[in-house]
Amino acid sequence: DEFISSPPRKTVRFGGTLTDILLKYEKGETADFELLKHQLSDPDIKDAQIINWLHEFRTSVAYLTKELEQLVSILLKLPWLRRSREVVEEYLGFLGNLVSAQTVHLRPCLRMIVSQFVPPRITIREDDVDISDSDDDDENISENFNTCHRALQTVARYVPSTPQFLMPILVENFPFINKSERTLECYVHNLLRVTVYLPTLRLQILELIIEKLLKLDVSTPQQDIEDAEETANNSDSEEKSTEEGLFHMEEDEERKGDKVVSSSNERMAHPLAERLDILMTILFSYIKDVCHVDGKLDINNTKDLYRDLVSVFDKLILPTHASCHVQYFMFYICSFKLGLAEAFLDHLWKKLHDPNNPSVIRQTAGSYIGSFLARAKFIPVVTVKACLDLLVNWLHKYIDNQDTGANAYCDVALHGPFYSTCQAVFYTLIFRHKQLLDGNLRKGLSYLQSLNFERIVMCQLNPLKICIPSVVNLFAAITRKYQLVFCYTIIERNNRQFIPVVRSGTGGDLVQTCTNPLDSFFPFDPYMLKRSKKTIDPFYQFWEELSAEDLENLKKPIKKGTSEDEDDDFLKGETPQNDGVVGIAPNSYESTTRSPDSSIGSPPDCYVSYPQ
């Protein structure tokens, strides 16, 4: 009985020892070699067989030269991950022996490991059509990922040049953005895990991930996200309740492994926005984890990560027009410490005032400064004042240099950075004027008067003509209220001049109905992705609705008697009502106007009557 119940000590197989088979193959005898390949390719191969073969291969790696790459390829396809612990340990040992003895097989080994960074594919048959997708039900997926990272660390330990061979493989294996949310989520999560034990790759991996996120971001304009959400909200209630029931079954659970799970009402209606939301949540979690050790901010870790993120920001984010969400990784890391926010502002300032930078980069840097100062709750008034001083002094110097020159006229192509800086200053004042005046009104007014807005507004370059009308309207109303500068005469004059804006940079094209000649946008407009916005909202300054009294003051005409045609046609026809003052500005000259009610947390356009 004992004999019958005990397993065989060694699994029966054919063909002699591995060394004999390989030596025979070198002499041209291939029969045993083919049998070996067949046995290793058997889908029903047992754990004990795999262990025995791997044990022999570990002692025979010297024979596994480039000529035997077909055999190595079969070994790399062995289903080792979902086997017993003994198989996994033996396989990791084999990988270490193989790459240390035969570095020619390094790339195939790395490809095999990286291919396991996504859930296994399963094929479901629906209506006679094979639908392939990731297997979300694999309970061991988290453990399998851990094993993959152990394998990668083993290889890197034996071959120090692993990082330079690994990076191209990580790039080529990145899933397409139309792959399932789960596939993208797992791959990005695993890439970020690699940066922990291969720190030399961190910058390149962050670049890769943020580049892919950026493609998702620009493929999902804010208007499309809003439209999708509105359509979903207005859909048939019965259909909606059915969908919620389905999502509830799949997703209203605790976090499983590395999966980001949430209730159905947190899902984004737009499929690409849903993917972006999940990936941004992972990126924010990574930033937080790297910067905090045992719940406390680690200054050195944070500074190192900040440098990498600024580098990625310069290379990818700054040259990209009208991205909506990805840039918030800088907003988030700056919220950890005021010094980081000030360093970021200083970095943007250097970009803005350096004449050697392309004009479009300088203008975008101006947009970032204005939006960051307006929206970041963690930036105190003293920092806002320091930045305003810097920006306004630069504007006055610019006016000094231009007012008497041949180029002292209104032209975006010539003075783009100047207009961008004006808009940043106006925008910051709209959001921060109450804080600047808080406490000591006389002192606050004295400070604002010292900025000499009148000179900027009245100069020959005419910034009120170029800045977005909705920003100009509120700036004019606020500065009038505090008697800082009277803008309406200039606005009125600009409205009467139906001279089209000349853009000399494009061959003198005439743009008849251009309401956003700067083609500017506010990069830190309200964040719309439902899951990841929970990370941003605590640090974010939403637009505070104006009181009834304030609205009355702003809408109140200064002098009656102006005809309705003169007052309102320009604003009605041309003011971009996108999120009011602080929404995403139109990103092209043909942008359609949007309702100010379409975005929560942004000021409405204020239509003010002008004096004659």
Side-chain angles (χ1 to χ4, degrees):
D1 288 346
E2 204 174 47
F3 172 76
I4 292 169
S5 63
S6 63
R9 289 180 65 78
K10 195 166 183 179
T11 308
V12 177
R13 66 157 202 252
F14 307 97
T17 66
L18 179 63
T19 308
D20 292 341
I21 295 170
L22 297 179
L23 287 172
K24 282 181 187 176
Y25 179 72
E26 284 180 10
K27 294 173 185 173
E29 297 176 31
T30 60
D32 287 348
F33 185 76
E34 292 301 321
L35 185 60
L36 168 64
K37 290 200 298 183
H38 180 73
Q39 287 180 39
L40 289 171
S41 304
D42 182 3
D44 298 322
I45 190 169
K46 303 289 188 291
D47 282 11
Q49 288 174 296
I50 294 178
I51 291 170
N52 287 333
W53 277 123
L54 289 175
H55 191 70
E56 284 198 56
F57 272 109
R58 286 181 70 176
T59 58
S60 308
V61 286
Y63 296 100
L64 298 178
T65 56
K66 186 166 174 60
E67 288 69 35
L68 291 177
E69 62 185 347
Q70 192 183 11
L71 177 61
V72 172
S73 174
I74 292 169
L75 285 166
L76 294 177
K77 286 176 185 169
L78 277 173
W80 63 283
L81 257 183
R82 290 157 190 84
R83 297 279 179 156
S84 66
R85 180 165 182 165
E86 291 77 13
V87 172
V88 169
E89 295 303 324
E90 194 67 38
Y91 198 87
L92 290 175
F94 161 70
L95 276 181
N97 287 16
L98 178 65
V99 294
S100 58
Q102 304 286 353
T103 49
V104 69
H105 300 304
L106 176 62
R107 276 197 186 93
C109 287
L110 294 175
R111 282 197 185 92
M112 180 275 295
I113 296 168
V114 172
S115 70
Q116 305 288 345
F117 277 4
V118 293
R121 309 293 291 172
I122 54 168
T123 303
I124 308 163
R125 199 160 181 79
E126 271 185 27
D127 302 327
D128 297 325
V129 178
D130 286 345
I131 300 169
S132 177
D133 205 347
S134 57
D135 181 6
D136 286 347
D137 298 325
D138 190 341
E139 291 180 4
N140 299 318
I141 195 161
S142 185
E143 193 179 326
N144 291 342
F145 289 154
N146 290 341
T147 307
C148 284
H149 289 289
R150 274 188 66 201
L152 201 49
Q153 285 170 276
T154 301
V155 171
R157 193 162 57 245
Y158 285 111
V159 186
S161 59
T162 293
Q164 70 190 70
F165 290 98
L166 176 63
M167 197 59 220
I169 293 166
L170 295 177
V171 173
E172 69 190 40
N173 276 271
F174 204 106
F176 293 116
I177 58 172
N178 59 351
K179 291 290 183 186
S180 76
E181 298 147 17
R182 183 76 173 121
T183 299
L184 285 162
E185 176 190 344
C186 290
Y187 195 77
V188 168
H189 190 277
N190 283 315
L191 283 191
L192 291 171
R193 281 186 69 176
V194 171
T195 67
V196 176
Y197 54 85
L198 294 178
T200 54
L201 285 182
R202 184 167 74 181
L203 177 58
Q204 290 169 272
I205 286 176
L206 285 171
E207 255 182 44
L208 171 62
I209 291 170
I210 288 167
E211 182 187 6
K212 300 295 182 182
L213 291 180
L214 210 47
K215 284 181 181 174
L216 272 174
D217 201 6
V218 297
S219 303
T220 51
Q222 220 159 355
Q223 186 65 59
D224 290 3
I225 295 174
E226 286 180 3
D227 291 347
E229 289 299 321
E230 193 175 341
T231 304
N233 291 337
N234 295 338
S235 63
D236 181 68
S237 57
E238 187 179 332
E239 184 183 328
K240 191 177 176 190
S241 64
T242 307
E243 283 179 13
E244 283 179 351
L246 289 170
F247 289 137
H248 180 80
M249 287 165 60
E250 295 172 8
E251 297 187 44
D252 290 359
E253 302 171 14
E254 293 292 313
R255 187 184 177 94
K256 243 195 217 173
D258 300 320
K259 188 175 180 185
V260 176
V261 294
S262 58
S263 59
S264 58
N265 62 0
E266 283 189 340
R267 282 185 71 88
M268 299 298 297
H270 195 297
L272 293 183
E274 171 70 5
R275 287 166 174 76
L276 183 61
D277 193 9
I278 290 169
L279 299 184
M280 288 300 291
T281 304
I282 292 171
L283 182 60
F284 289 153
S285 298
Y286 172 78
I287 291 171
K288 184 178 181 182
D289 289 349
V290 169
C291 295
H292 293 80
V293 178
D294 299 326
K296 291 183 180 177
L297 188 70
D298 184 292
I299 298 299
N300 292 328
N301 287 359
T302 306
K303 281 181 181 175
D304 290 343
L305 181 61
Y306 169 83
R307 288 189 197 101
D308 283 349
L309 290 177
V310 164
S311 176
V312 178
F313 175 84
D314 284 351
K315 185 175 179 180
L316 298 175
I317 305 292
L318 209 52
T320 303
H321 181 67
S323 58
C324 301
H325 300 99
V326 180
Q327 59 265 26
Y328 270 90
F329 67 79
M330 285 308 305
F331 190 97
Y332 183 51
I333 194 169
C334 288
S335 71
F336 294 164
K337 194 166 180 62
L338 178 59
L340 296 176
E342 291 176 341
F344 184 50
L345 285 165
D346 184 57
H347 179 76
L348 291 168
W349 162 244
K350 285 172 182 169
K351 293 274 181 196
L352 172 62
H353 80 85
D354 183 356
N356 295 316
N357 284 327
S359 181
V360 66
I361 295 294
R362 296 175 69 190
Q363 287 173 222
T364 308
S367 297
Y368 270 93
I369 290 173
S371 200
F372 193 57
L373 287 173
R375 293 296 197 173
K377 265 187 185 176
F378 47 84
I379 297 180
V381 179
V382 64
T383 305
V384 173
K385 287 171 80 170
C387 290
L388 283 176
D389 287 340
L390 210 58
L391 296 172
V392 170
N393 284 338
W394 182 80
L395 290 174
H396 285 301
K397 283 180 186 173
Y398 193 94
I399 294 166
D400 289 339
N401 294 333
Q402 295 294 334
D403 251 6
T404 54
N407 293 330
Y409 56 90
C410 184
D411 188 330
V412 179
L414 287 174
H415 309 295
F418 171 82
Y419 295 123
S420 181
T421 306
C422 285
Q423 188 159 278
V425 169
F426 298 165
Y427 189 70
T428 303
L429 186 76
I430 289 166
F431 267 87
R432 296 284 196 157
H433 70 277
K434 285 184 179 174
Q435 289 170 290
L436 290 166
L437 296 168
D438 199 26
N440 189 330
L441 182 63
R442 181 175 292 180
K443 197 174 177 183
L445 280 174
S446 175
Y447 168 72
L448 290 178
Q449 285 162 357
S450 74
L451 297 176
N452 196 359
F453 286 127
E454 187 169 7
R455 182 168 184 253
I456 295 168
V457 165
M458 302 286 185
C459 75
Q460 293 292 312
L461 304 181
N462 196 357
L464 296 185
K465 185 174 183 178
I466 300 299
C467 295
I468 293 176
S470 47
V471 171
V472 170
N473 289 339
L474 269 180
F475 174 76
I478 289 164
T479 50
R480 165 185 171 265
K481 180 179 178 182
Y482 295 107
Q483 299 181 0
L484 297 171
V485 59
F486 193 75
C487 300
Y488 296 117
T489 312
I490 296 164
I491 296 173
E492 172 81 359
R493 189 178 68 222
N494 290 340
N495 294 353
R496 289 179 188 280
Q497 293 173 352
F498 290 105
I499 301 169
V501 177
V502 179
R503 297 180 72 240
S504 57
T506 55
D509 295 350
L510 300 185
V511 186
Q512 292 283 357
T513 56
C514 178
T515 59
N516 184 15
L518 269 177
D519 205 13
S520 56
F521 71 110
F522 300 105
F524 296 118
D525 261 359
Y527 193 92
M528 300 182 67
L529 305 176
K530 294 178 185 175
R531 292 180 192 83
S532 45
K533 84 192 294 285
K534 292 176 185 173
T535 305
I536 297 301
D537 281 358
F539 312 110
Y540 190 77
Q541 178 62 59
F542 288 92
W543 173 253
E544 292 176 8
E545 292 300 324
L546 295 171
S547 66
E549 185 185 352
D550 286 341
L551 275 171
E552 197 58 40
N553 286 339
L554 293 182
K555 291 180 177 177
K556 195 174 178 183
I558 298 164
K559 187 175 177 183
K560 291 183 180 178
T562 42
S563 74
E564 190 178 331
D565 285 346
E566 288 175 353
D567 287 348
D568 295 331
D569 280 0
F570 173 78
L571 287 171
K572 283 179 184 170
E574 297 191 7
T575 304
Q577 297 180 29
N578 46 312
D579 295 355
V581 171
V582 293
I584 286 278
N587 57 11
S588 71
Y589 293 112
E590 292 75 35
S591 290
T592 53
T593 58
R594 288 166 52 192
S595 163
D597 300 327
S598 61
S599 273
I600 298 168
S602 293
D605 273 331
C606 292
Y607 300 122
V608 272
S609 302
Y610 311 127
Q612 283 182 313

